[in-house]
Amino acid sequence: MPSLRTRPAVILLLASALAVVGLVPAAVPAAAATVPVGSGSYSDTRPPGTSGPTTNTGTPVTPKLTTAARNRPVPTNDWWSSLAFQRYGDNPWSTPMYGHPLTYQATAGGLDVGYPTSPAIVGDGRQYEYAHKRDLTIGLTGLNSPDTKADDWSDWTVTPLWSDGARTLRTTIGHGSPFVYARGSGGNAQITTAGAPTVFADQTNLLGITVGGHHYALFAPTGSDWNIAGTTITAGLGSKDYFSVAVLPNTDALATYTKYAYSFVTDSKVTWSYTGGTTNATYTLTTEAKEGTERGTLQALYRHQWLNTTDALTSYTYVSPRGTMKVRESASFTTSQKAAAVLPALPKSNGVDAARLRGYLNEVVNAADPFSGATDTYWTGKALGRLAQLVPVAEQIGETGTRDRLLGLIKDKLQDWLTAGDANEFSYDKDWKTLTGYPASYGSDTELNDHHFHYGYYIYAAAIVAQYDQAWAADSAWGGMVKTLVRDTANPSRTDSSFPFLRGFDVYAGHSWASGHQGFAAGNNQESSSESTNLSAALVLWGSATGDTSLRDLGTYLLTTESESIAQYWFDADEQVFPSSFGHDTAGMVWGSGAAYATWWTANPEEIHGINVLPVTGGSLHLGGEKTAIRRNIAEMERENAGPAVEWRDILWEFQSMADPATAKAKWDAGNAGYTPEQGESKAHTYHWINTLDALGAPDATVTGDIPTSAVLTKGTTRTYVAHNHGSSARTVTFSDGKTLAVPARSTAIGTGSGSQDPDPPTGNTFQLRSGGVLTTATDGTSSSDAIASAGGANHDGTPHQPLVYEVRGVNGTLTPGTGTAFRLQVDADTAVGLGQQARVSYDLTGDGTFDRTETYNYFATDPVAGWEEYTQTRGLKASTGTLGDLNGGTIRLEVWSAIGNGASKLQTGTDKSVVVIPYN
């Protein structure tokens, strides 16, 4: 099997189908060949013999933008990028675009709209697709536009424009929007359906139709009327220029959707914050009332969003390739997540033999070519990442000479690339407003692919250098050029005229996209989600090392958000996203239309599973938050591979170590002598990683520290607290379970912590379960279990069915502001498949028999492997009623039942592994 990463023009299974940062000037001087940035520079012209963006036949292209948008940097790697990037010369409109729940494709006559609700399994079962299929076309009578251009865009919406000289049409579409907002001139509003429509509502300017089994509402201006002639529906606009179309979850929703039909979305914006181990994000739509005064709207939330919000949701849902979308009736919503951990390296432990590690380190630094012949941006980046991972590791065992040799190699290579004029350099394209490294690879030049993959390695390596040499990282030295790479890949500024806001990261989809042109029938795609998070982790480390907390917090938001998306959409952690007909537990690639058990270059299972793990760094710890998914992932790889990994075994050992460190170490011990490391890995790093986790335990995502560069490792009942302090003064890091850790300046600290101990929060708030229905603060129980009755094949999601009930009465307490209920429940379905356990926590504040607050959590899908699994409140609230207040002789009740399935399961009692923690002092 080939182990080199290659990127053909089409996927194997789809062949048919910073505030401005740094010292860079806002505009590139027209006459300058080299633009200085601190000690570095970039060029404003491509090196001879190279290419920028082209069509598939090699013809140079510039962005397809209207005059109004021409000077704006276009976010090339987006779900709608084919509107701006004409990859195929015979298609000047767009390829299919997947907004979810709706899908779109621009054509000469307007906007084709669909709502795919049934998945197709293609490629010998290796891919599922909710492929775009036209239900109707939104246009104007007579419209025949020679092209479609991007006229406006915001964080997750876009406005394409059609014009044929006599008629002009604009539509605004976006992620999560059930509406298409249209403005037109020169013709009547026209809806052309794919088949004969069935009318279910006709109220002058409102028409409800069903097409292809999907329900749509058409809204014309007041005073207009819709007229049907076969499959063509028209309405005169009179003196107005607007109309809208909505896809309905059911016909009963018509009145609700009518309320918002004229509240046109004009902007979409996300804001984020990081505080004390928690990342919050608010997603807001701005609207304009075309009629009346209504300024609200409806938004369909993806699974990674509704799992992490406590905002009220309606009962309306939609089907999507990302699982169920749930509708919120508001112009905004907020998510809150425990921040993903990032460390420069795993800490020192007694599991690592210094002499053995020294030998592995010498193999790297004494190699004839530590960069293994790399010349392009991708492979040079991987080599930089491989060396950077070893710098803190060498320091841990006192190998300061090796550390400094590694730093010297990294600096020399970075400085070479960050200076224009040599065999390798970065060049700015003023048309596309992007920085491309040459020699380029995998379409990073001609297709604007993968900049976040490539440059993430450079920024990560620079962050490690900055950790040891702050002067090198200064803007006046090399930091200015590093920040220019940041601006190209993850620019936090919406007003920077040289680079777009967050080029590749789709804030609403919750992950990045890799293709710069999105020119596929299946929409855009991303294969290596882990190389995307490598950039986010690099931002955390660079921001921490340089004192840029704004950039650090951006990296934390990106990493935390994408970690949930990876768990749900690449690894199907809750087994609620992939269609049952797909037959795989993991996806190598996510597409706008679905996902594929595939890579761009091989069908080898080892690489399909490993491509969303590498590179393994201190930014990979979030993967350990879904241990059951890791076990399923490894088991599937070995089934598909007919045995343990041969290619990339080091990557997969490291992956397994985040769930089962002892098993991974046994594989390392048995196989470390006879393997070739993956190109971005080294035996030194793999040995250190696997043996450290074996000694200290797997990542524990349930506890967070109050700085992003902190983490917890748990082995058995022992937690080890780790934090790196990039600052110049000592500080104390406080963890969410009350533990604290003193961390000297510019150092990593490790310990069992001081202060309050697990569970979280302190002991007086923590109740263990006892068989017989008791909740108690006593800690002297004996491990036992209670049987959870079967759901009997019915769906009891949200409604207790023969629940286990545990109670404690006479509780007094003062509500702690800003905290919420927490629980850890050990559940086991043994070998039964398709089971899900659900919990509800209820509060009777005064003990009068009336529960003032109930909290029902999303159920936990247990795996069919014998052994306890941990169900926690991080599954997210499904529903809640009432509000919390102080407890005065109150009652706390826990109910646990089977939400789905046709078999019994069990709940562990009598230990501190199954607890409820209430938010009270």
Side-chain angles (χ1 to χ4, degrees):
M1 294 290 179
S3 59
L4 294 181
R5 185 174 186 268
T6 59
R7 186 182 282 278
V10 291
I11 181 175
L12 174 68
L13 298 176
L14 285 177
S16 63
L18 290 216
V20 177
V21 295
L23 304 180
V24 186
V28 179
T34 298
V35 181
V37 185
S39 298
S41 59
Y42 63 85
S43 68
D44 70 347
T45 54
R46 291 190 300 272
T50 63
S51 179
T54 66
T55 66
N56 61 314
T57 58
T59 303
V61 292
T62 55
K64 286 198 303 154
L65 307 176
T66 64
T67 301
R70 189 163 296 156
N71 293 323
R72 293 182 61 189
V74 61
T76 49
N77 303 60
D78 217 326
W79 67 275
W80 54 266
S81 293
S82 63
L83 283 171
F85 195 137
Q86 186 177 342
R87 178 63 176 165
Y88 298 96
D90 59 351
N91 182 4
W93 302 283
S94 83
T95 52
M97 301 173 288
Y98 292 81
H100 306 147
L102 290 171
T103 61
Y104 313 97
Q105 184 168 10
T107 64
L111 183 69
D112 289 355
V113 177
Y115 172 40
T117 52
S118 298
I121 305 300
V122 299
D124 296 327
R126 297 167 70 88
Q127 182 169 331
Y128 75 86
E129 288 188 313
Y130 290 81
H132 168 69
K133 181 180 179 182
R134 169 181 170 264
D135 283 338
L136 51 84
T137 300
I138 299 173
L140 300 173
T141 52
L143 179 65
N144 185 21
S145 180
D147 59 22
T148 308
K149 296 182 174 71
D151 184 54
D152 194 12
W153 56 85
S154 54
D155 289 4
W156 63 90
T157 64
V158 63
T159 299
L161 180 145
W162 296 255
S163 179
D164 61 9
R167 288 156 289 267
T168 299
L169 173 70
R170 289 176 174 84
T171 63
T172 296
I173 55 178
H175 279 314
S177 178
F179 285 94
V180 177
Y181 308 96
R183 294 177 59 197
S185 63
N188 294 332
Q190 178 172 286
I191 309 298
T192 308
T193 57
T198 300
V199 176
F200 64 83
D202 189 350
Q203 304 170 17
T204 63
N205 62 325
L206 161 61
L207 187 68
I209 60 172
T210 301
V211 183
H214 306 136
H215 310 299
Y216 292 90
L218 317 182
F219 302 96
T222 298
S224 299
D225 193 9
W226 292 101
N227 298 292
I228 304 176
T231 58
T232 301
I233 307 171
T234 58
L237 298 177
S239 61
K240 310 295 176 56
D241 68 350
Y242 55 83
F243 61 103
S244 65
V245 176
V247 62
L248 306 180
N250 54 63
T251 56
D252 293 339
L254 181 60
T256 300
Y257 281 64
T258 300
K259 178 180 178 182
Y260 302 107
Y262 303 101
S263 180
F264 276 40
V265 168
T266 59
D267 189 39
S268 58
K269 185 175 183 179
V270 64
T271 57
W272 58 85
S273 64
Y274 169 83
T275 306
T278 298
T279 294
N280 296 309
T282 299
Y283 300 82
T284 302
L285 294 175
T286 301
T287 64
E288 174 187 1
K290 291 293 186 182
E291 293 187 8
T293 59
E294 180 59 62
R295 298 295 297 274
T297 191
L298 297 163
Q299 298 184 77
L301 278 63
Y302 283 115
R303 180 175 181 82
H304 75 275
Q305 295 169 325
W306 58 255
L307 280 174
N308 294 291
T309 188
T310 57
D311 291 344
L313 303 174
T314 69
S315 61
Y316 302 134
T317 62
Y318 289 103
V319 173
S320 87
R322 310 292 178 254
T324 300
M325 300 182 80
K326 298 187 177 184
V327 177
R328 174 159 167 77
E329 190 174 1
S330 175
S332 69
F333 64 91
T334 297
T335 62
S336 181
Q337 295 175 254
K338 288 190 173 183
V342 179
L343 294 172
L346 291 181
K348 183 177 182 180
S349 78
N350 60 14
V352 173
D353 178 75
R356 187 173 182 182
L357 179 57
R358 187 177 300 113
Y360 288 139
L361 287 167
N362 287 335
E363 290 179 7
V364 176
V365 296
N366 293 328
D369 178 9
F371 292 91
S372 305
T375 59
D376 63 89
T377 48
Y378 181 71
W379 291 103
T380 300
K382 283 180 69 75
L384 283 167
R386 176 167 51 86
L387 299 177
Q389 293 167 19
L390 299 179
V391 172
V393 169
E395 185 180 51
Q396 285 178 14
I397 60 171
E399 289 294 316
T400 55
T402 298
R403 176 201 66 190
D404 293 342
R405 288 175 64 191
L406 289 165
L407 286 169
L409 289 168
I410 295 167
K411 286 181 181 179
D412 288 347
K413 186 62 70 173
L414 284 173
Q415 290 168 196
D416 183 27
W417 272 90
L418 300 179
T419 304
D422 294 326
N424 31 253
E425 67 176 24
F426 286 93
S427 171
Y428 183 79
D429 186 316
K430 67 180 184 303
D431 292 323
W432 288 95
K433 294 180 170 35
T434 188
L435 199 70
T436 302
Y438 293 93
S441 50
Y442 308 120
S444 61
D445 50 355
T446 57
E447 301 176 49
L448 299 183
N449 294 339
D450 300 357
H451 283 202
H452 60 318
F453 292 167
H454 296 209
Y455 306 170
Y457 287 107
Y458 290 71
I459 299 165
Y460 187 97
I464 296 297
V465 173
Q467 182 177 322
Y468 295 89
D469 189 345
Q470 288 76 46
W472 184 93
D475 286 351
S476 57
W478 297 97
M481 272 300 295
V482 175
K483 289 181 178 180
T484 307
L485 297 186
V486 172
R487 288 171 67 197
D488 182 76
T489 54
N491 190 5
S493 173
R494 296 179 180 85
T495 59
D496 186 342
S497 62
S498 296
F499 296 96
F501 172 68
L502 297 180
R503 178 182 302 281
F505 192 84
D506 187 326
V507 296
Y508 205 89
H511 59 81
S512 295
W513 296 111
S515 169
H517 56 76
Q518 185 259 309
F520 303 96
N524 213 323
N525 72 88
Q526 180 161 262
E527 179 186 63
S528 183
S529 60
S530 49
E531 286 184 303
S532 179
T533 56
N534 185 51
L535 169 62
S536 302
L539 299 180
V540 173
L541 293 176
W542 175 263
S544 297
T546 59
D548 188 341
T549 56
S550 177
L551 188 59
R552 180 203 70 179
D553 293 353
L554 167 63
T556 303
Y557 161 68
L558 298 178
L559 178 61
T560 302
T561 303
E562 193 155 19
S563 68
E564 180 72 83
S565 296
I566 292 167
Q568 299 299 330
Y569 310 141
W570 274 260
F571 298 151
D572 197 16
D574 298 337
E575 299 181 276
Q576 295 295 304
V577 173
F578 295 171
S580 58
S581 53
F582 179 45
H584 289 284
D585 292 321
T586 192
M589 308 179 71
V590 162
W591 287 85
S593 65
Y597 186 76
T599 72
W600 277 103
W601 78 100
T602 181
N604 180 16
E606 297 148 319
E607 275 113 325
I608 292 172
H609 289 259
I611 193 60
N612 285 292
V613 179
L614 64 81
V616 178
T617 73
S620 304
L621 298 173
H622 67 91
L623 294 171
E626 299 290 353
K627 295 178 174 56
T628 299
I630 293 176
R631 295 182 185 114
R632 286 201 310 268
N633 192 302
I634 295 294
E636 179 182 27
M637 185 279 296
E638 294 185 346
R639 287 195 309 271
E640 294 284 331
N641 200 51
V646 177
E647 303 283 347
W648 290 7
R649 63 182 78 175
D650 44 0
I651 298 296
L652 294 164
W653 290 338
E654 290 170 306
F655 186 38
Q656 189 165 22
S657 72
M658 286 185 268
D660 299 304
T663 303
K665 183 178 183 299
K667 290 182 176 180
W668 159 267
D669 289 341
N672 70 81
Y675 81 97
T676 300
E678 187 273 331
Q679 289 89 337
E681 258 300 348
S682 63
K683 286 190 174 181
H685 180 260
T686 302
Y687 169 71
H688 180 270
W689 181 275
I690 289 174
N691 285 272
T692 299
L693 292 187
D694 180 63
L696 301 179
D700 184 347
T702 66
V703 181
T704 56
D706 62 2
I707 60 172
T709 51
S710 59
V712 175
L713 307 174
T714 299
K715 183 172 185 177
T717 59
T718 301
R719 281 180 175 158
T720 298
Y721 301 80
V722 188
H724 185 85
N725 176 12
H726 285 88
S728 58
S729 302
R731 66 164 297 160
T732 297
V733 175
T734 301
F735 291 83
S736 59
D737 62 355
K739 283 287 191 175
T740 59
L741 184 66
V743 191
R746 306 198 188 286
S747 300
T748 295
I750 178 175
T752 56
S754 60
S756 302
Q757 174 61 13
D758 171 51
D760 165 24
T763 304
N765 306 35
T766 303
F767 297 88
Q768 293 186 15
L769 284 61
R770 294 286 187 269
S771 293
V774 173
L775 292 175
T776 177
T777 56
T779 59
D780 56 353
T782 301
S783 180
S784 184
S785 65
D786 290 340
I788 307 173
S790 169
N795 188 323
H796 301 290
D797 185 11
T799 304
H801 170 72
Q802 299 180 31
L804 296 173
V805 180
Y806 304 85
E807 271 192 2
V808 58
R809 301 185 180 187
V811 181
N812 297 309
T814 302
L815 181 65
T816 304
T819 60
T821 305
F823 59 81
R824 294 198 306 278
L825 303 175
Q826 307 302 312
V827 293
D828 181 26
D830 198 41
T831 59
V833 298
L835 306 193
Q837 295 75 39
Q838 193 157 34
R840 171 179 291 175
V841 180
S842 303
Y843 296 84
D844 173 358
L845 300 178
T846 60
D848 63 358
T850 298
F851 284 97
D852 304 280
R853 167 76 172 175
T854 64
E855 300 173 355
T856 304
Y857 291 83
N858 292 305
Y859 68 75
F860 179 80
T862 42
D863 66 25
V865 179
W868 296 111
E869 299 175 76
E870 188 168 87
Y871 173 26
T872 75
Q873 80 284 348
T874 59
R875 288 298 95 196
L877 270 177
K878 177 179 178 62
S880 63
T881 63
T883 57
L884 289 172
D886 293 346
L887 287 164
N888 184 11
T891 299
I892 312 298
R893 174 183 291 176
L894 167 69
E895 299 166 272
V896 182
W897 69 96
S898 294
I900 58 171
N902 201 12
S905 53
K906 58 184 180 180
L907 171 66
Q908 190 177 53
T909 62
T911 78
D912 63 0
K913 298 296 183 63
S914 286
V915 297
V916 176
V917 186
I918 63 174
Y920 289 87
N921 292 320

